[in-house]
Amino acid sequence: ILSNGIFADDYHVVTIDWNPQRSQWFVDGNSYLTIDITGADKLEFHENFFLLFNVAVGGNWPGSPNSSTVFPQKMYVDYVRVYKNTDAIPNISMVTPSNNSVFTSHENITLTADVQFQGNLQAVNFYQGEKRIGTTDIEPYSITWRNVSPGCYKITADAITVDGYVSESQTINIQVGELCVDAPYSGNPVLIPGSVEVENFNLGDPNSAFYDTDIVNSGGDYRLFDQVDIEACSDENGGYNIGWTETGEWMNYFIEVEETGTYVIEPRVASDNSSGALRIEFNGENKTETLTVPSTGGWQQWTSISSSPVSLNAGIYTIKVYIENGSFNLNRIDIYPPNAQPKLNLIYPSGGETLGKGTIQEIRWRAILVDDVSIGLTTNGGQSWNFITQSSSSEFGVYRWLVPDITSNDCYIMIKDEANSNIRDTSNSAFTIDFVNSVTKNGELNYNFNLGQNYPNPFNPSTNIKFSVPEGGTSDLFQNHVRLAIYDVLGKEVALLVDESKSPGTYEVELNAESLSSGVYFYELKMGSLSSIKKMILQK
């Protein structure tokens, strides 16, 4: 590496230039090694690292010390400098909800992040703890976290650039309901038919949400401070598994059975021996009896074991996975009707709706045994189709969509299994894309939910905000109570402009910001489960 001499002759600058695509090593500015770190076998280069300075003595290459070896030996370090390419890394912060917010049980909660970045983003993801609960690639970066169960949650977001750089937001603590009770880790019970990922056991205290024989997460890859032993999993679809199981340990999960019927319960297991056993209880009732875990040939060699068919009534259950005899790994628990087949059910838009052109809408569906979906749109009754997205994870059952700037009353959405195009569903009837406020056949205005950009923007000290309240009654999508609030970049509410019931129509309010400091602010319009957020700039 050195053109002459040895390292002990002088100080040398050793450099690593590390980005999501490659790592390159230099000595005194001369590159001597570059490796591509984008492959699946280089995942460790995308984890957190620490610096280690090592004065090694002996080894296979130099050989063992002998009488000629000089002791003591010393390493002199003048400095260690770590730089971050701030131009390549976005700056992300949670905007709503504000820290320590309290919501009513089963409320729909809007999560919004602000991203300051000049380049192109791949996605903004939202998390409860370490479980991703939603994603979007459309600004403003916001999702609706629906029907959230009572409990206390920690919300974060991250932004990923198209080059693979990732930055994380601050953590927002929120409470849903009156107490910090045991809660599903994702905020919602797992829908059945479906799969329970065992690493996502309930939030709560030891001996209430889970029990582990020691207080250390031996795997250390996920939920590090929750004691249960979790490690990276090499089974299909990756993820994590619970390992180091011991007799008497257990984990609780909330599930929601959608339809009364017969189901088969299939834990996915791996073991290097045949001594393991478990059972699964539903609201305290042993539904599986004892399930024996066979030797699978290794701790990451996976197979499914099955219960006898069991009858389950529709409703919400607490299931307990109880380790009767340990020494096996557990990845997930599949709960499906016998011989279940992949299925897609498009929920929204189903037909008859009017969507404002240029607005942001959610396409929602329910998927069973489907990993990824493609979504198409026709505006001519099915004569031709265009992709909205060729690939989206079906995990969340929602895709955030920017409605095109067109006008048509013959629109349909089609959602299909990316792996099998024969598995699909389409809107039951046509829906309309039109102006936000369209005219009915009777000449009356048909108002839709809309939040306009404030004017002027930037402003000092006053600006006006227009919004429209839709027709629709008191369904899940429409409630007549309107709330328009102003937030700073940390998510703190600094002004409340509207907090009352409004009849359908278009309104305009004024914000006087004489008491506020210059900077970026956000304003949010909420009405039932509908919400919209926009950014404005105060320049004094």
Side-chain angles (χ1 to χ4, degrees):
I1 298 174
L2 297 180
S3 58
N4 56 70
I6 61 175
F7 276 95
D9 290 339
D10 200 355
Y11 281 99
H12 299 273
V13 178
V14 179
T15 305
I16 302 176
D17 185 358
W18 194 345
N19 66 39
Q21 283 75 42
R22 53 127 181 100
S23 285
Q24 188 172 11
W25 282 262
F26 300 82
V27 173
D28 296 333
N30 298 311
S31 174
Y32 72 91
L33 178 64
T34 301
I35 64 170
D36 184 332
I37 61 171
T38 58
D41 60 338
K42 301 293 192 299
L43 294 178
E44 63 271 17
F45 287 95
H46 301 271
E47 300 294 335
N48 293 326
F49 270 70
F50 61 88
L51 300 176
L52 175 67
F53 294 89
N54 180 29
V55 181
V57 177
N60 292 333
W61 178 44
S64 300
N66 56 36
S67 58
S68 65
T69 304
V70 178
F71 287 105
Q73 293 288 333
K74 298 180 180 179
M75 175 188 290
Y76 294 94
V77 179
D78 185 21
Y79 59 81
V80 177
R81 295 171 180 165
V82 179
Y83 300 93
K84 181 170 69 172
N85 185 348
T86 56
D87 291 336
I89 300 176
N91 183 14
I92 181 172
S93 59
M94 287 292 300
V95 177
T96 59
S98 58
N99 195 35
N100 297 321
S101 293
V102 178
F103 299 89
T104 59
S105 297
H106 303 289
E107 185 174 345
N108 293 335
I109 301 174
T110 299
L111 308 180
T112 305
D114 175 54
V115 182
Q116 300 296 319
F117 184 57
Q118 297 301 314
N120 295 320
L121 288 181
Q122 176 180 322
V124 172
N125 300 301
F126 295 87
Y127 299 83
Q128 190 304 112
E130 295 175 67
K131 173 70 172 73
R132 190 171 65 152
I133 56 176
T135 184
T136 183
D137 59 0
I138 298 176
E139 192 175 7
Y141 301 109
S142 177
I143 67 166
T144 300
W145 192 22
R146 295 182 177 277
N147 194 31
V148 184
S149 297
C152 291
Y153 302 97
K154 295 182 179 296
I155 308 301
T156 58
D158 68 23
I160 305 175
T161 72
V162 293
D163 295 322
Y165 291 95
V166 181
S167 61
E168 298 180 354
S169 75
Q170 81 278 27
T171 299
I172 299 297
N173 296 286
I174 68 169
Q175 180 177 317
V176 179
E178 297 181 355
L179 299 171
C180 289
V181 296
D182 287 4
Y185 192 60
S186 67
N188 303 108
V190 178
L191 291 179
I192 302 300
S195 296
V196 178
E197 294 291 344
V198 294
E199 69 271 17
N200 295 323
F201 52 89
N202 286 350
L203 287 168
D205 296 327
N207 301 315
S208 177
F210 61 90
Y211 170 71
D212 198 270
T213 56
D214 58 45
I215 61 172
V216 177
N217 178 346
S218 299
D221 273 349
Y222 189 79
R223 303 183 67 171
L224 181 60
F225 302 106
D226 279 336
Q227 302 182 12
V228 176
D229 303 312
I230 304 173
E231 64 180 345
C233 180
S234 63
D235 196 8
E236 54 191 3
N237 298 324
Y240 303 93
N241 66 260
I242 286 176
W244 295 273
T245 54
E246 298 286 347
T247 301
E249 295 179 337
W250 52 266
M251 295 78 61
N252 281 346
Y253 307 83
F254 288 111
I255 68 168
E256 181 176 357
V257 178
E258 295 181 297
E259 295 183 3
T260 297
T262 300
Y263 294 83
V264 175
I265 303 169
E266 295 188 334
R268 187 82 172 158
V269 297
S271 181
D272 205 29
N273 57 64
S274 57
S275 61
L278 75 155
R279 69 174 185 263
I280 301 175
E281 302 174 356
F282 285 64
N283 289 348
E285 179 184 357
N286 183 358
K287 284 286 190 178
T288 63
E289 303 301 332
T290 297
L291 298 175
T292 301
V293 177
S295 174
T296 63
W299 298 110
Q300 290 295 323
Q301 300 296 316
W302 295 91
T303 191
S304 296
I305 56 177
S306 298
S307 72
S308 300
V310 300
S311 295
L312 297 175
N313 293 323
I316 295 177
Y317 295 82
T318 297
I319 67 169
K320 174 182 284 187
V321 178
Y322 186 87
I323 310 301
E324 293 189 356
N325 196 25
S327 194
F328 65 91
N329 290 349
L330 182 61
N331 180 15
R332 67 174 190 267
I333 300 165
D334 298 326
I335 308 176
Y336 291 95
N339 303 313
Q341 298 297 314
K343 182 180 180 181
L344 285 168
N345 178 29
L346 181 64
I347 298 172
Y348 183 86
S350 62
E353 302 90 353
T354 297
L355 307 184
K357 52 194 291 187
T359 63
I360 297 173
Q361 301 286 338
E362 287 184 344
I363 299 171
R364 302 204 305 273
W365 65 89
R366 173 76 168 103
I368 296 175
L369 294 172
V370 173
D371 292 328
D372 300 290
V373 297
S374 302
I375 304 174
L377 167 70
T378 179
T379 58
N380 54 21
Q383 297 179 43
S384 61
W385 292 84
N386 294 307
F387 278 111
I388 292 174
T389 177
Q390 296 198 42
S391 182
S392 178
S393 172
S394 67
E395 177 184 3
F396 309 115
V398 63
Y399 183 81
R400 206 158 166 263
W401 172 45
L402 179 62
V403 179
D405 189 16
I406 60 173
T407 300
S408 172
N409 61 2
D410 204 9
C411 304
Y412 292 80
I413 291 292
M414 177 191 294
I415 184 170
K416 63 181 181 178
D417 185 346
E418 187 181 334
N420 183 352
S421 61
N422 292 320
I423 301 167
R424 61 177 67 190
D425 195 22
T426 307
S427 305
N428 295 326
S429 59
F431 63 89
T432 298
I433 297 176
D434 203 344
F435 292 104
V436 170
N437 293 329
S438 60
V439 179
T440 68
K441 292 181 180 179
N442 296 326
E444 297 176 351
L445 283 175
N446 179 21
Y447 296 101
N448 288 292
F449 182 82
N450 183 56
L451 177 63
Q453 184 64 53
N454 66 299
Y455 183 83
N457 187 43
F459 67 96
N460 178 31
S462 298
T463 188
N464 293 310
I465 300 172
K466 286 186 177 181
F467 63 92
S468 295
V469 175
E471 312 249 359
T474 57
S475 67
D476 172 62
L477 289 176
F478 300 98
Q479 299 288 336
N480 63 1
H481 190 90
V482 177
R483 195 174 195 275
L484 177 61
I486 314 297
Y487 300 89
D488 64 19
V489 294
L490 298 178
K492 179 182 177 181
E493 184 178 303
V494 296
L496 181 61
L497 302 183
V498 179
D499 189 19
E500 61 184 351
S501 295
K502 292 284 190 182
S503 58
T506 296
Y507 299 86
E508 183 172 346
V509 295
E510 181 184 39
L511 168 66
N512 188 316
E514 289 183 350
S515 62
L516 300 179
S517 302
S518 296
V520 175
Y521 292 86
F522 298 85
Y523 56 104
E524 179 185 30
L525 178 68
K526 294 187 69 174
M527 181 177 171
S529 62
L530 298 172
S531 68
S532 182
I533 295 177
K534 291 187 181 296
K535 179 167 62 176
M536 58 184 176
I537 300 174
L538 172 60
Q539 290 183 344
K540 290 188 173 181

